[in-house]
Amino acid sequence: MYAISTGGLQLLLAALWALLISLFAVPSIIYVAHHRNLFDAPNGRSVHTQPTPRLGGVAVLAGFLSALTIFAPLAGGVQYLLAGCLLLFFVGLKDDLVTVSVAKKFVGQLLASGVVMLMADVRLTSLQGLLGIGTLPLGVSYGLTFLVIVGITNAINLIDGLDGLAGTLVLLSSGTLGYYLYQYGGESAGSYAFAAVCLMGGIVGFLRYNFHKANIFMGDTGSLVCGFIVAVLAIKFVELGNGPAQPLGSATPAVALAILFVPLFDTSRVFLVRILAGKSPFAPDKNHVHHRVLALGFSQIGTVLLLGLLNAAVTGLVIAYAHLGSLVLIGGLAALGVGLSLLLEAAQSRAVRRQLAAA
């Protein structure tokens, strides 16, 4: 009992440290951005209407890194997670300052993924019976892990289009993943539980200035790093299903998808719509889920709360029905995604008809 309470106290101190560092760093970043003209200028796809600083990820990373190195036992390969974060931080920083091509971002993600996969051995080793597949061959394991890391990293990056949205979803996902890693991960996952709470602390401090109307944006500096951390936490969480006496059993892959439902749904839907329209999946537009919800008349804060509640509700339902197994649950998540897409399309068409009738 003493060991557990001591660990809990260390986690709390780490989260508070990250929160305070982030909270105090943001005003300084805003000050520098205003004096150096480092703004995200509004464009045809933007929701914001005023030039806004976009280097909030610097504060999040400052809180995360300092708290993790002070309070966490840097074991289990967490030091390589830090190395990957720093690599993506500089990629994102350059993109926020002078713009980086999609190809260069991909190379940065490839290198960061390679560091945690090869040096820390963070990888998916089994599908835990999903589709009858158990242990994965080494090459397939590395390939699938890379796709998962890049997919989640970019999903968080792409959902960052509304005040407070990406931060809220990262907070929910890292909190859920961190809880299971701390409660059921044992010593091998303990450091990753610290990574989760340190990220949460940094995000909470940042969100103080990021909710509508935002004084600062996360930028690629933050969204790439946050997405990368969440991706690694998700992989470590899925691997818990390979151990004995886990509360979710072999349903951890489905639960991981549920924890990241909104960003993964948004990215999958947007990419599919763009490809069907004959466009590049990376071509920017205003077809993200938050754009569609805003078009239905929701406020920015209302949209963030709605999508956050949706993500939390989906996560809770999948956890509650974990006994059904991954195949059934993933099928349910896919059906929910299709249903939501159809609902959004129908609501958008109805809104357009009303506008035309009014005109």
Side-chain angles (χ1 to χ4, degrees):
M1 181 64 70
Y2 177 77
I4 294 176
S5 61
T6 300
L9 178 61
Q10 288 180 314
L11 286 169
L12 178 61
L13 290 174
L16 289 174
W17 181 278
L19 186 155
L20 291 174
I21 294 297
S22 177
L23 196 63
F24 284 110
V26 171
S28 298
I29 296 169
I30 294 174
Y31 176 83
V32 171
H34 278 281
H35 280 73
R36 297 295 180 181
N37 199 31
L38 303 174
F39 295 113
D40 185 356
N43 55 46
R45 296 179 291 103
S46 304
V47 176
H48 65 288
T49 57
Q50 299 293 328
T52 306
R54 56 182 174 186
L55 295 173
V58 175
V60 176
L61 186 68
F64 172 78
L65 284 178
S66 59
L68 196 61
T69 52
I70 291 172
F71 295 98
L74 296 182
V78 169
Q79 66 269 37
Y80 301 112
L81 170 64
L82 297 180
C85 288
L86 286 173
L87 199 159
L88 285 179
F89 169 77
F90 286 110
V91 172
L93 181 63
K94 184 175 181 180
D95 187 58
D96 285 336
L97 296 176
V98 297
T99 304
V100 174
S101 67
V102 172
K104 290 181 179 178
K105 283 186 184 180
F106 180 78
V107 171
Q109 293 171 27
L110 173 63
L111 294 174
S113 302
V115 168
V116 294
M117 287 192 299
L118 297 175
M119 306 300 292
D121 198 31
V122 172
R123 59 189 177 89
L124 296 169
T125 61
S126 169
L127 292 188
Q128 301 171 27
L130 179 63
L131 299 176
I133 302 173
T135 302
L136 297 171
L138 191 61
V140 175
S141 172
Y142 281 123
L144 180 60
T145 302
F146 172 69
L147 291 177
V148 168
I149 293 176
V150 171
I152 295 175
T153 300
N154 284 289
I156 299 298
N157 180 240
L158 291 171
I159 201 72
D160 184 28
L162 201 63
D163 295 352
L165 179 57
T168 298
L169 293 174
V170 168
L171 185 64
L172 290 171
S173 59
S174 58
T176 308
L177 294 168
Y179 167 78
Y180 280 99
L181 289 171
Y182 176 69
Q183 287 290 98
Y184 305 103
E187 292 185 8
S188 62
S191 296
Y192 292 92
F194 273 95
V197 299
C198 291
L199 179 59
M200 291 174 67
I203 286 292
V204 171
F206 164 72
L207 283 175
R208 159 67 178 79
Y209 300 93
N210 182 240
F211 267 106
H212 188 67
K213 294 183 177 180
N215 296 313
I216 191 169
F217 295 152
M218 185 182 292
D220 278 16
T221 309
S223 61
L224 289 176
V225 171
C226 289
F228 178 70
I229 296 169
V230 170
V232 171
L233 294 176
I235 291 169
K236 296 296 291 185
F237 167 78
V238 171
E239 285 297 291
L240 292 180
N242 292 319
Q246 297 299 325
L248 303 174
S250 60
T252 52
V255 176
L257 291 175
I259 290 170
L260 292 160
F261 177 76
V262 168
L264 293 178
F265 162 68
D266 177 61
T267 300
S268 302
R269 177 184 165 278
V270 166
F271 275 23
L272 181 60
V273 168
R274 291 171 183 171
I275 291 171
L276 292 176
K279 300 178 181 178
S280 166
F282 301 102
D285 55 30
K286 294 189 69 172
N287 198 32
H288 288 278
V289 63
H290 49 272
H291 291 134
R292 289 301 181 93
V293 175
L294 283 172
L296 297 178
F298 285 84
S299 66
Q300 288 206 40
I301 294 177
T303 300
V304 172
L305 292 176
L306 177 64
L307 294 177
L309 287 171
L310 171 63
N311 206 92
V314 170
T315 301
L317 283 172
V318 171
I319 289 174
Y321 290 95
H323 61 276
L324 296 177
S326 278
L327 185 60
V328 172
L329 293 172
I330 291 174
L333 290 172
L336 176 61
V338 172
L340 287 174
S341 295
L342 294 175
L343 181 63
L344 288 173
E345 293 297 328
Q348 181 74 5
S349 299
R350 186 176 180 181
V352 170
R353 288 196 302 269
R354 284 182 175 179
Q355 291 175 358
L356 292 175

